Amino acid sequence: MNTLFDMGDDLPPGAAILPEFVAPSEEVALAQALDALAWSTELKRRVQHFGYRYDYKARAVTPDAYIGPLPDWLDDVTEKLQVVFGEKPDQVIANEYLPGQGISAHIDCPPCFGETIVSLSLLSSCEMIFRRGEAKRAVLLDPRSALIMQGSARYDWTHEIPARKSDSVAGAKISRQRRISLTFRRTIRVA
Ligand SMILES: O=C(O)CCC(=O)C(=O)O
Ligand SMILES: [Fe+2]
């Protein structure tokens, strides 16, 4: 598959990072908009769903998964993301990570979502680990950066965030703060 981006040796093929994808003022506004809503405690970390609430077990997005249009305060970001997706994303999950929290290794449900996944990091950095067989790539996600996963990075490599309070990057210890990520996708809907 042709991918739009392929950057550097540290990222798996098909992944790219766009630094400073949102301005600091937008970062604060997005976090405030999320904190004004009800975070769900259905997972170990707090989450919020927008657009579609897909069924992890069924591994499919059915029409009853629709929970309404994306909120207006996501407009600026989804408009910018049209360049990457070719159209506007229609599904967003917000994940909140307190220091010490993470997400286990996974590939975003292939039958549920299209070939582009974008995760926007807010408020804190964290390290993300990509794995494919024995191969491992550790990538620092900076606040306000957008991580794009397409192609091999999307389908062949797992990604995970180790549950720890700091990351060690090039010998330097970087403490984690509360981090929020917004993950944007296009749903593949089944009737
Ligand atoms: O927090 C992140 O940046 C990644 C979230 C993620 O992988 C997911 O929700 O599928
Ligand atoms: Fe993911």
Side-chain angles (χ1 to χ4, degrees):
M1 176 193 300
N2 287 327
T3 53
L4 285 173
F5 303 99
D6 190 350
M7 288 177 27
D9 291 337
D10 294 340
L11 286 166
I17 292 176
L18 306 180
E20 301 296 335
F21 190 73
V22 294
S25 57
E26 281 179 278
E27 175 187 32
V28 171
L30 289 166
Q32 284 176 346
L34 286 160
D35 283 335
L37 300 172
W39 287 93
S40 153
T41 52
E42 71 199 79
L43 299 176
K44 269 186 247 165
R45 57 186 186 281
R46 299 199 301 170
V47 297
Q48 294 186 30
H49 303 266
F50 301 98
Y52 290 83
R53 176 191 294 271
Y54 64 99
D55 184 336
Y56 288 86
K57 293 196 190 98
R59 295 184 68 74
V61 180
T62 51
D64 62 352
Y66 186 63
I67 50 175
L70 298 185
D72 293 349
W73 49 265
L74 283 173
D75 277 355
D76 286 353
V77 180
T78 54
E79 262 163 45
K80 271 201 263 182
L81 284 174
Q82 281 191 82
V83 177
V84 179
F85 280 88
E87 54 192 329
K88 279 194 181 179
D90 64 358
Q91 197 270 344
V92 181
I93 181 167
N95 280 289
E96 179 198 54
Y97 304 84
L98 301 179
Q101 293 184 316
I103 189 167
S104 52
H106 67 279
I107 291 172
D108 286 33
C109 180
C112 306
F113 305 117
E115 60 189 34
T116 299
I117 310 280
V118 177
S119 264
L120 176 64
S121 293
L122 305 173
L123 307 180
S124 175
S125 68
C126 76
E127 197 167 45
M128 178 174 274
I129 311 289
F130 289 90
R131 293 181 201 274
R132 180 182 187 179
E134 296 296 301
K136 176 183 168 187
R137 305 277 169 86
V139 176
L140 187 70
L141 303 179
D142 286 318
R144 299 181 296 285
S145 70
L147 166 72
I148 302 168
M149 288 178 272
Q150 296 177 319
S152 191
R154 153 86 178 101
Y155 292 111
D156 303 329
W157 295 67
T158 61
H159 55 278
E160 76 206 59
I161 294 170
R164 60 191 181 212
K165 292 189 174 164
S166 65
D167 296 298
S168 177
V169 177
K173 180 179 158 186
I174 305 177
S175 294
R176 289 197 198 157
Q177 315 296 318
R178 175 184 183 235
R179 173 176 180 268
I180 296 173
S181 66
L182 286 168
T183 299
F184 297 84
R185 305 153 170 149
R186 290 279 318 168
T187 53
I188 299 169
R189 293 184 298 280
V190 296

